[in-house]
Amino acid sequence: MEDKKTIFSGVQSSGFLTLGNYIGALRNWAKLQYDYNCLFSVVDLHSITVRQVPAELKRRALEILKLYIASGIDPEKNILFFQSHVPQHAELAWVLGCYTYMGELSRMTQFKDKSTRHADNINSGLFTYPILMAADILLYQTDLVPVGSDQKQHLELARDIAIRFNGIYGDVFTVPEPYIGEVGARVMSLQDPTKKMSKSDENPNSYIAMLDDTDTIIRKIKRAVTDSEGEIVFREGKDGINNLLTIYGAVTDKTIPEVEKEFSGRGYGEFKAAVGEAVADCLRPVRQRFDELSKNKDYVEKTYKEGAKRAEYLAAKTLRKVYKKIGFIER
Ligand code: TYM
């Protein structure tokens, strides 16, 4: 590994990826990859906190790995792997669970939210999920974790666990910092812009999937809920317009004031058409690379096998240190 700081991040394999995942996470990863040693994982162990159909899970996990590469994340430079291929994630999660309090886990908003949505399956994995996430991060002595703002609370818990563990055993873990992009840290639903854009939304018009085609993207943005004021400015109470300004800014690399200026005095119809085109232009090359990768199974397989090997080497090093500090007998 080069002498650079370390990044770890991941996406669950519980469904297809949305424009929210792309803007909030993948796009930033692609930008950061040159300045850091990066590990990007498809965190499949996390996804079984909600019931999955096995064949679907398998297909989705591969799809996401290919989307990482298609988004411009270079498999030569970065470590790309499936979480389930590196057993140290689950092992460290057990250890960290013994240093995490029930009260801390009870405060996690994602747990509260998911247990309301899946009231028939409030399993203990759903509750301890943030511990596994802390293990993902701490295993690689991660300095920086690029995520959307919905993951901030989990990240704070990971920091608290690291600080607590270090307090008892000395400097074992690097205490990670979140990296949350300025524009697009929370992309909202196109149908209810007070809610986060999410793949689990029942209404497909509420999200854009990364693999949606151009016509679908343009149509969904055209139907996005806005307001009746007719003014294209970012202001409290204009959630729909704020969201479209954010999306446009993110995919064109412009600031919100720049976008406001560009569309000043123009109508919503014209604005929506421009946003649709910009999103479609941004995702088109990703979809094309994805299709090419789908024809190249060997390359994809080589990428994740190699990735798991490199990740495991680093993970084992940290876990050995942890076991030693705790006082387990060395093998
Ligand atoms: P997940 O799989 O829900 O989402 C993956 C990434 O996408 C971001 N994201 C969004 N960003 C902006 N707007 C949105 N509407 C939006 N929806 C999703 C998320 O913030 C995230 O960065 N617990 C994590 C996965 C995880 C992880 C980790 C992340 C497991 N271990 C270690 C970082 C480090 C999750 O459920 O993300």
Side-chain angles (χ1 to χ4, degrees), residues 208-328:
I208 288 174
M210 278 185 72
L211 293 172
D212 274 349
D213 60 39
T214 298
D215 290 348
T216 308
I217 294 171
I218 290 174
R219 178 173 46 78
K220 285 182 179 176
I221 301 243
K222 203 180 272 174
R223 288 193 187 164
V225 169
T226 50
D227 54 61
S228 51
E229 292 172 9
E231 209 186 346
I232 304 172
V233 287
F234 195 100
R235 194 167 58 213
E236 211 184 312
K238 289 176 75 73
D239 298 316
I241 288 295
N242 294 351
N243 192 35
L244 294 180
L245 283 166
T246 301
I247 291 174
Y248 187 82
V251 299
T252 57
D253 271 321
K254 288 177 186 159
T255 63
I256 303 283
E258 279 169 350
V259 184
E260 284 174 335
K261 207 164 149 214
E262 186 176 338
F263 290 97
S264 149
R266 289 158 79 179
Y268 284 180
E270 204 183 329
F271 176 50
K272 282 179 171 179
V275 178
E277 291 289 346
V279 173
D281 285 350
C282 171
L283 291 179
R284 194 175 300 111
V286 176
R287 207 167 55 242
Q288 281 162 355
R289 281 196 292 265
F290 178 88
D291 289 340
E292 282 159 28
L293 282 167
S294 297
K295 291 180 211 137
N296 204 342
K297 274 198 183 131
D298 291 349
Y299 175 73
V300 174
E301 194 176 311
K302 192 176 132 257
T303 297
Y304 66 72
K305 284 192 169 164
E306 191 62 32
K309 245 190 251 164
R310 292 167 65 197
E312 183 163 10
Y313 172 80
L314 299 168
K317 215 156 98 177
T318 300
L319 194 68
R320 268 198 305 275
K321 190 167 159 190
V322 168
Y323 277 14
K324 196 169 163 189
K325 291 280 187 182
I326 291 176
F328 293 151

Side-chain angles (χ1 to χ4, degrees), residues 8-12 18 20-21 24-25 43 46 110 129 133 136-137 145-151 154-155 184-188 196-199:
F8 179 94
S9 200
V11 176
Q12 288 194 65
T18 68
N21 297 124
V43 289
H46 276 93
Q110 188 168 309
Y129 175 113
M133 178 159 163
D136 299 340
I137 297 166
V145 186
V147 283
S149 60
D150 61 330
Q151 295 301 316
H154 287 160
L155 217 67
R186 191 171 171 86
V187 177
M188 309 307 277
K196 183 180 82 163
M197 180 182 285
S198 162
K199 57 199 160 206

Side-chain angles (χ1 to χ4, degrees), residues 110-211:
Q110 188 168 309
F111 170 70
K112 290 188 217 167
D113 177 47
K114 280 202 178 169
S115 46
T116 316
R117 276 193 287 130
H118 303 276
D120 56 336
N121 181 22
I122 308 179
N123 60 72
S124 64
L126 201 58
F127 189 63
T128 56
Y129 175 113
I131 303 173
L132 180 59
M133 178 159 163
D136 299 340
I137 297 166
L138 302 184
L139 260 186
Y140 301 101
Q141 305 295 350
T142 302
D143 297 287
L144 202 65
V145 186
V147 283
S149 60
D150 61 330
Q151 295 301 316
K152 199 165 169 232
Q153 196 187 29
H154 287 160
L155 217 67
E156 272 158 17
L157 179 63
R159 284 172 56 86
D160 289 344
I161 298 172
I163 292 168
R164 182 172 307 145
F165 200 92
N166 288 350
I168 305 172
Y169 300 104
D171 275 343
V172 179
F173 296 122
T174 302
V175 180
E177 298 282 342
Y179 175 97
I180 296 172
E182 255 169 59
V183 180
R186 191 171 171 86
V187 177
M188 309 307 277
S189 153
L190 299 174
Q191 290 300 313
D192 176 1
T194 61
K195 276 189 354 200
K196 183 180 82 163
M197 180 182 285
S198 162
K199 57 199 160 206
S200 48
D201 202 307
E202 277 161 25
N203 181 354
N205 284 327
S206 72
Y207 54 75
I208 288 174
M210 278 185 72
L211 293 172

